[in-house]
Amino acid sequence: MTPTKAADIPLEVIRSTAETEGVCVKPVITRLHDTQENTSRLVPIPCGSTRETRCPSCADKNRRLRMQQCREGWHLDVEPVTDGQGDGGEEDDLDEESGDTSRRVRSTRRRQDAPDLPRHEVASHTIGPTFGTEDRQYRPSMFGTFTLGSYGRVREDGTPVDPEAYDYRRAALDAMHFPKLVDRLWQNLRRAIGWKVQYFAVVEPQRRLAPHLHAAIRGAIPRQLLKQVVAGTYHQVWWPTFDQPVYVDELPTWDPDIGGYIDPHTGELLPTWEQALDRLDADPDAEPAHVVRFGEQTDLQGILAGTDQADRRIGYLCKYLTKSITDTYDAEEMTARRAAHVDRLWEQTRWLPCSPTCANWLRYGIQPKNARPELQPGLCRGKAHRRETVGCGGRRVLVSRQWTGKTLTDHRADRAAVVRAVLEEAGIHAPDIDRYSTKITTDDGRPRYVWTPVHADEDELPEYRHVLLAALRERQRWRTQYEQAKERAGPMLAELSATDDPATAAA
């Protein structure tokens, strides 16, 4: 029989096989120069996408990496060693009741409609207390779910019973400012409990598409105290008011001579963002433009390390990380009624301001911060305005800085190092070149490997199908080598997570 040529294989078959084998289908071609050997070659680098709609293989690999990160930090019994970078998490440095990342000073007086919170000096330790006897001790941690309040009655599928009565505006604003509310929760919790509580949290949508938070929390916290903190946590948005649009049909225009936006009728310069905040500061009766709070529904569970319950919760935390907010549920669930619900919510998020630099401020007669001539309301590129996010523009995974004391790059390197060690133990040489090998140096201290981008119009750029086929062959070679090696290095496999694909870790 005549061997099948690469050109004879349908591209969709190659791509489908690549997805099945865990090979990136959106590789970035990069030139790798070895300064020690003075050689260069083209190398396909995985795209690293976290969304399965773009690259299922990279998305799943990132999900498994997050699962490992969650597992490694949840039940630590010794303080993590960190170089100051840690997990790259969401530590909160906002001023009390600020609602804005600027340096403007707001009143620290708590709202009268919020319960008081206990306050203690925060100790530096991150490890929770130990319970039990001298013979047997436990160091439990927690799993919590935190939700927003109601915007109106909904059906089982999450769609409103009465769409006209459903408060879409508040739902959109709550989604946009949910990350700040979460920051405030951890800040208040640390002050209430008196030690630096660490967390691995994921923002997911409920069926009604409102964001809620699942969190693995290190250490045990009294449930009543945690619920008290949740009830007393809020975030105030100290922005100029944006209840009613000032400009709808005719929008402000950019005047290049003045360098700002002017009224289309009077030609007067619109107030800048700083001027609008000055007016807000000067008004003693000013109220925040929006206040976001948690709802009454809070679920808290105690979890012990090494149990099936802990493993299930880690899988649950990372279950939907590869999907966008609106794709969390199966396609067959996207009924006409649900699509209409998404459209209504997106219409609100499209026109509401998402940040001080948002172009939508022009509708409300205010120049956005750092205004420039090409801004158009309704076309802000902020992530919160996309239909697939419906307001949830922040990061989906929130990890405190001392969760493991490592960055994601460190975790990737750990996984690859274990696989390489298994191969080396079996006498198989594992290459030390990957996308994270920038720290490898030559004898004189220079970086050994230098990566440079390859432009799409370069003649030497290989054909897409050949790149995928080569990656598939490499993947199969790695898998075969690992299968042979693991029989000879069984004890070392204990270092790998049960959910990890070793070949994926090494790829």
Side-chain angles (χ1 to χ4, degrees), residues 344-365:
R344 282 175 174 262
L345 188 55
W346 176 58
E347 186 68 13
Q348 288 290 331
T349 60
R350 180 185 176 188
W351 296 105
L352 288 169
C354 66
S355 69
T357 60
C358 182
N360 288 341
W361 283 111
L362 293 174
R363 299 185 79 219
Y364 302 98

Side-chain angles (χ1 to χ4, degrees), residues 385-455:
H385 296 295
R386 301 174 188 172
R387 190 179 187 275
E388 64 267 22
T389 64
V390 285
C392 300
R395 285 183 282 181
R396 295 283 295 278
V397 181
L398 312 176
V399 188
S400 55
R401 290 199 179 103
Q402 293 175 274
W403 180 253
T404 63
K406 301 176 183 178
T407 64
L408 274 180
T409 299
D410 294 333
H411 286 289
R412 291 188 185 98
D414 287 347
R415 295 175 67 201
V418 172
V419 174
R420 288 194 179 98
V422 173
L423 293 172
E424 295 288 352
E425 183 72 11
I428 301 174
H429 174 67
D432 59 358
I433 302 174
D434 59 33
R435 64 186 301 189
Y436 308 107
S437 61
T438 55
K439 295 183 179 180
I440 299 176
T441 60
T442 59
D443 294 338
D444 57 1
R446 295 181 297 114
R448 176 171 179 178
Y449 301 113
V450 178
W451 303 81
T452 56
V454 177
H455 301 292

Side-chain angles (χ1 to χ4, degrees), residues 8-317:
D8 298 331
I9 306 175
L11 182 58
E12 57 269 21
V13 173
I14 299 176
R15 182 186 175 99
S16 177
T17 305
E19 292 178 356
T20 302
E21 293 294 323
V23 172
C24 174
V25 297
K26 294 283 187 179
V28 179
I29 305 301
T30 308
R31 180 175 286 102
L32 172 65
H33 179 67
D34 187 335
T35 60
Q36 181 170 298
E37 302 293 336
N38 196 25
T39 59
S40 294
R41 62 188 177 93
L42 297 182
V43 179
I45 299 297
C47 68
S49 176
T50 59
R51 292 291 171 264
E52 66 178 16
T53 53
R54 175 176 172 81
C55 180
S57 303
C58 286
D60 185 63
K61 184 176 179 180
N62 278 301
R63 182 182 65 84
R64 292 174 184 273
L65 180 67
R66 287 296 192 178
M67 292 176 69
Q68 178 63 25
Q69 182 186 33
C70 179
R71 178 178 293 104
E72 189 169 327
W74 198 359
H75 305 284
L76 288 181
D77 54 7
V78 293
E79 294 291 340
V81 178
T82 175
D83 59 2
Q85 294 180 342
D87 296 272
E90 298 289 310
E91 295 286 352
D92 178 26
D93 295 322
L94 295 177
D95 294 331
E96 182 73 14
E97 315 311 340
S98 166
D100 193 4
T101 56
S102 67
R103 294 299 181 183
R104 293 174 180 267
V105 178
R106 304 291 181 192
S107 171
T108 59
R109 183 178 59 187
R110 287 186 58 80
R111 295 180 62 90
Q112 294 184 356
D113 57 0
D116 291 333
L117 295 173
R119 294 177 68 103
H120 300 283
E121 184 177 349
V122 180
S124 61
H125 68 87
T126 70
I127 304 300
T130 301
F131 303 92
T133 64
E134 293 183 358
D135 297 331
R136 190 168 186 178
Q137 294 187 338
Y138 302 91
R139 192 186 297 272
S141 292
M142 303 191 74
F143 182 86
T145 299
F146 310 91
T147 65
L148 292 168
S150 173
Y151 309 110
R153 293 178 57 208
V154 295
R155 298 181 175 89
E156 289 186 1
D157 63 356
T159 60
V161 174
D162 182 0
E164 299 303 324
Y166 195 81
D167 196 343
Y168 279 101
R169 186 177 191 274
R170 187 162 64 87
L173 287 172
D174 281 359
M176 286 180 169
H177 298 283
F178 187 67
K180 295 296 184 185
L181 179 67
V182 172
D183 280 347
R184 185 68 63 195
L185 170 66
W186 301 121
Q187 184 186 72
N188 288 344
L189 184 59
R190 287 166 178 160
R191 291 173 176 174
I193 198 67
W195 49 280
K196 297 187 69 174
V197 176
Q198 301 298 302
Y199 58 88
F200 178 101
V202 175
V203 178
E204 296 290 359
Q206 295 176 290
R207 285 189 174 271
R208 58 178 177 156
L209 295 182
H212 65 161
L213 189 78
H214 297 303
I217 305 172
R218 186 188 304 154
I221 301 172
R223 286 177 172 79
Q224 191 58 38
L225 174 61
L226 207 158
K227 289 184 176 181
Q228 181 184 359
V229 171
V230 171
T233 297
Y234 58 88
H235 171 68
Q236 299 186 123
V237 183
W238 285 102
W239 284 353
T241 58
F242 49 92
D243 293 332
Q244 294 294 330
V246 177
Y247 303 101
V248 179
D249 298 324
E250 283 192 87
L251 297 173
T253 58
W254 178 266
D255 188 321
D257 296 328
I258 302 177
Y261 285 90
I262 60 174
D263 185 286
H265 305 292
T266 66
E268 294 183 1
L269 186 66
L270 267 59
T272 65
W273 175 256
E274 293 298 329
Q275 290 171 340
L277 290 185
D278 288 340
R279 295 178 183 177
L280 184 65
D281 291 342
D283 183 359
D285 299 321
E287 295 289 335
H290 183 67
V291 180
V292 54
R293 296 180 171 90
F294 288 105
E296 296 181 358
Q297 185 178 358
T298 300
D299 182 63
L300 304 169
Q301 303 172 21
I303 303 290
L304 288 175
T307 62
D308 292 340
Q309 189 180 28
D311 289 337
R312 287 196 299 269
R313 290 296 176 269
I314 292 172
Y316 183 71
L317 268 171

